[in-house]
Amino acid sequence: MSENNIQNSLFLRAAFSKSTERPPVWIMRQAGRFMPEYWEIKNKYTFLEMCKTPEIAADVTMLPVNLLGIDAAILFSDILVTAEAMGGDLSFTQGVGPKFANPVRNQADVDKLLTEVDDKLQYVADAIKVIQQRLNGSIPLIGFAGAPFTVMSYLVEGGSSKDFKLTKLLIHNHPDLAHQLLAKIAKVTVDYLNLQINAGVNALQLFDSWALALSWDDYKEFSHNYNTEIISKLNRKDIPIISFCKGSSVFAPLMAESKPDVISVDWNADLLDIKKVLPAGIAIQGNLDPHILYADKKVIKERIHRLFERMRGEDGFIFNLGHGIMPDIPFDHVKYAVELIKEFRY
Ligand code: CP3
């Protein structure tokens, strides 16, 4: 496929709710640890070195393209690079996950955060250019960013959290300060996604992974409003926006008001039921429970077929998991699943 007809790729057609002969497939966290080839690279560098070296980021991005034959590539990076560029002292430790050594908890911490950070994120634009040369128009490249609420939760907690206690205390006791912080992250996110568009991505996904933690009213005020603002400020031409959160089986009708092209749904909902309540023209991505990929192959096959039978005849369906793939899922199960999906015809 040439650069010119990338718009005719299965993935972009489905993202714009046009008909396709089968659903395209890609997998959240596909550029990662379930592949032995990832570890060959990871053993030589830290995770942030991998993200910040365009050739290495491109090598990792290409692993699932070459080993699985998926229908879209996703930039190898992390949602927390925006927070790092704003001044977060970020590190990733094996088995611990991300840590910010200087959590953001008071007015002085919020005031210190930078909002003009494009220069610091130039390595991402460079990686996108290298990846597009390697893809050579074969399949689209998805760029991404973390949504303000989810990124804020890491800055406030200082890392991953089970209950988001400090983040929720901030939004409940000091809503003005929370809004200042969210507005700063939103500004950086708009610039960052526009930088990715200028560098040449073909689609964008906004990850609001932990929106699930919020009540309906808090989701509206502290998450949804910022996501709406971000989507409205993208110079997006023919670039579809995918809106993802855990909690989308509840929040999907609100997410639709932000006018994304695609909503990525967690595994709690029946996908067709969700699609039916959304306005026409919004495509849907999802929503196999990632744990199914641990199960026996006959279970994998049965569950994928069940999902397809449910979605048969629907335009605007992108196959994905309901959340990211786990690092210890057997590679051959993933390969088997992708092959099955690619055999399917509407
Ligand atoms: O999808 C892809 O393959 C592209 C790359 C990508 C990574 N992270 C690579 C990564 C993407 C899109 C992300 C997004 C991301 N990062 C999210 C949103 C998606 C989701 O799953 O909800 C979140 C919440 C993060 C934050 C983050 N990064 C955590 C919590 C961790 C460590 C914990 C864990 O999952 O094990 C990371 C590290 C990370 N990001 C790794 C990779 C490949 C592992 C790094 C390593 O090899 O040690």
Side-chain angles (χ1 to χ4, degrees):
M1 193 183 292
S2 77
E3 298 273 355
N4 302 341
N5 57 18
I6 196 92
Q7 289 306 326
N8 266 326
S9 61
L10 277 180
F11 174 81
L12 288 180
R13 290 183 64 81
F16 285 124
S17 295
K18 295 178 185 157
S19 59
T20 52
E21 66 268 21
R22 66 165 171 88
V25 50
W26 72 282
I27 296 171
M28 283 188 267
R29 300 272 187 111
Q30 67 189 14
R33 291 162 290 179
F34 70 98
M35 290 177 291
E37 291 79 357
Y38 175 84
W39 287 103
E40 286 171 23
I41 304 172
K42 178 66 206 284
N43 289 336
K44 294 186 221 150
Y45 309 96
T46 68
F47 176 63
L48 280 174
E49 279 168 351
M50 289 164 70
C51 294
K52 291 182 178 183
T53 313
E55 293 290 335
I56 299 173
D59 288 346
V60 183
T61 300
M62 293 303 290
L63 289 176
V65 178
N66 296 328
L67 300 172
L68 291 174
I70 35 72
D71 294 309
I74 180 161
L75 168 72
F76 181 74
S77 186
D78 197 80
I79 61 162
L80 299 178
V81 298
T82 42
E84 192 206 30
M86 294 173 78
D89 183 357
L90 174 65
S91 60
F92 288 88
T93 315
Q94 207 57 61
V96 179
K99 282 271 169 247
F100 284 102
N102 54 346
V104 175
R105 305 225 169 118
N106 57 38
Q107 184 73 54
D109 298 334
V110 173
D111 289 345
K112 263 187 255 162
L113 292 171
L114 308 173
T115 54
E116 296 293 339
V117 297
D118 274 11
D119 286 357
K120 294 188 176 178
L121 292 166
Q122 190 54 42
Y123 65 86
V124 177
D126 295 340
I128 289 166
K129 288 173 195 156
V130 179
I131 295 163
Q132 286 292 29
Q133 278 168 7
R134 303 246 193 120
L135 287 171
N136 195 23
S138 55
I139 51 171
L141 174 63
I142 306 168
F144 68 92
F149 170 72
T150 291
V151 172
M152 169 172 94
S153 79
Y154 285 97
L155 278 172
V156 172
E157 305 287 341
S160 300
S161 170
K162 283 199 171 64
D163 56 7
F164 303 94
K165 187 173 173 187
L166 297 173
T167 314
K168 287 188 168 198
L169 268 176
L170 180 74
I171 66 176
H172 295 144
N173 278 346
H174 305 285
D176 291 348
L177 188 58
H179 280 302
Q180 286 176 40
L181 175 53
L182 288 161
K184 282 187 139 182
I185 301 170
K187 193 265 175 206
V188 166
T189 308
V190 169
D191 290 349
Y192 178 55
L193 291 174
N194 281 327
L195 173 146
Q196 294 186 37
I197 293 174
N198 290 336
V201 296
N202 305 109
L204 288 169
Q205 179 154 323
L206 192 59
F207 283 93
D208 204 357
S209 303
W210 309 129
L212 173 77
L214 294 172
S215 67
W216 182 267
D217 284 351
D218 285 343
Y219 173 72
K220 246 177 155 166
E221 180 175 347
F222 297 98
S223 170
H224 168 66
N225 285 347
Y226 292 94
N227 298 346
T228 305
E229 178 195 334
I230 290 168
I231 292 173
S232 76
K233 288 183 173 166
L234 300 180
N235 308 321
R236 58 210 205 85
K237 296 168 285 187
D238 42 16
I239 300 198
I241 310 297
I242 308 167
S243 183
F244 165 78
C245 75
K246 277 200 79 192
S248 46
S249 33
V250 175
F251 296 134
L254 265 181
M255 293 164 83
E257 290 176 12
S258 305
K259 304 213 181 320
D261 301 285
V262 185
I263 292 180
S264 191
V265 182
D266 59 49
W267 64 86
N268 298 105
D270 177 277
L271 207 50
L272 187 58
D273 286 351
I274 294 279
K275 192 158 198 311
K276 282 182 178 156
V277 299
L278 294 177
I282 296 193
I284 206 142
Q285 174 174 282
N287 78 339
L288 194 74
D289 177 350
H291 278 264
I292 295 294
L293 296 183
Y294 283 121
D296 294 339
K297 285 186 178 164
K298 70 175 191 351
V299 179
I300 295 174
K301 183 175 185 175
E302 194 272 316
R303 293 305 187 102
I304 287 174
H305 280 176
R306 198 193 289 183
L307 181 58
F308 281 166
E309 287 315 322
R310 193 75 184 127
M311 297 305 288
R312 190 183 279 282
E314 291 292 317
D315 293 334
F317 168 39
I318 298 168
F319 182 93
N320 207 316
L321 306 178
H323 196 194
I325 191 165
M326 281 76 81
D328 57 347
I329 286 182
F331 177 79
D332 74 305
H333 286 200
V334 186
K335 190 153 177 66
Y336 175 71
V338 173
E339 279 162 8
L340 271 179
I341 296 157
K342 291 176 77 172
E343 279 167 11
F344 183 81
R345 291 293 174 277
Y346 280 124

